[in-house]
C-alpha cells in the first residue's frame, strides 16, 4: 500500500482484500478477546476462500512452479498404488501372524 499510495485502492480486488483483512483483524484482535456475540460472518469466510483460490490460480499459471506442480501431480497419482501396496502388506502380516500363532 505504501509504494502504490492511492493507486492501490483504484482496483476492486485490492479494495476487497483490504476490507477482508480489516474485518478479519477486527474479529481476531477485538471481538474474540472480548467474547462478544458476533453475527454470522460466513460471507467473510467465503470471501477468504475466494482470495485463497485466486492465489492458487496465480501459482498454477506461473511457469516457475512447473517442477513443483509435476511433483505434486506425481504424489497424487501414486496414492492408488500406495494404497494397494499397503493392503498387500497387511495381508502378508496377517498370514504371517496366523502361521506364527499356530
Amino acid at each position: 500500500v505504501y509504494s502504490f499510495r492511492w493507486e492501490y485502492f483504484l482496483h476492486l480486488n485490492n479494495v476487497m482484500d483490504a476490507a477482508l483483512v480489516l474485518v478479519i483483524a477486527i474479529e481476531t484482535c477485538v471481538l474474540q478477546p472480548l467474547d462478544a456475540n458476533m453475527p454470522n460472518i460466513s460471507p467473510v469466510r467465503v470471501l477468504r476462500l475466494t482470495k485463497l483460490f485466486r492465489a492458487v490460480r496465480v501459482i498454477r499459471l506461473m511457469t516457475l512452479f512447473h517442477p513443483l506442480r509435476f511433483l505434486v501431480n506425481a504424489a497424487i497419482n501414486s496414492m492408488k498404488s500406495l494404497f494397494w501396496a499397503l493392503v498387500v502388506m497387511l495381508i502378508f502380516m496377517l498370514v504371517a501372524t496366523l502361521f506364527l500363532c499356530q
Side-chain angles (χ1 to χ4, degrees):
V1 174
Y2 182 75
S3 63
F4 290 119
R5 312 259 176 186
W6 288 107
E7 292 177 21
Y8 179 81
F9 294 106
L10 294 178
H11 299 334
L12 182 62
N13 288 335
N14 294 339
V15 173
M16 185 180 74
D17 286 343
L20 183 64
V21 167
L22 183 66
V23 167
I24 292 171
I26 289 172
E27 174 194 356
T28 304
C29 298
V30 177
L31 296 178
Q32 282 183 351
L34 294 176
D35 289 332
N37 291 332
M38 298 178 296
N40 189 7
I41 56 168
S42 61
V44 174
R45 291 186 180 145
V46 171
L47 289 176
R48 193 182 312 172
L49 284 175
T50 59
K51 186 177 177 182
L52 176 71
F53 287 135
R54 192 173 64 195
V56 169
R57 188 183 71 196
V58 167
I59 290 174
R60 184 175 164 208
L61 294 176
M62 294 180 70
T63 59
L64 177 68
F65 292 106
H66 182 69
L68 177 64
R69 193 171 43 174
F70 181 73
L71 184 65
V72 169
N73 284 337
I76 289 172
N77 291 332
S78 68
M79 289 296 169
K80 183 178 177 183
S81 300
L82 180 63
F83 170 75
W84 286 114
L86 288 173
V87 168
V88 169
M89 192 166 55
L90 177 68
I91 291 171
F92 283 148
M93 288 174 61
L94 288 173
V95 169
T97 327
L98 288 173
F99 280 132
L100 288 174
C101 289
Q102 293 295 329

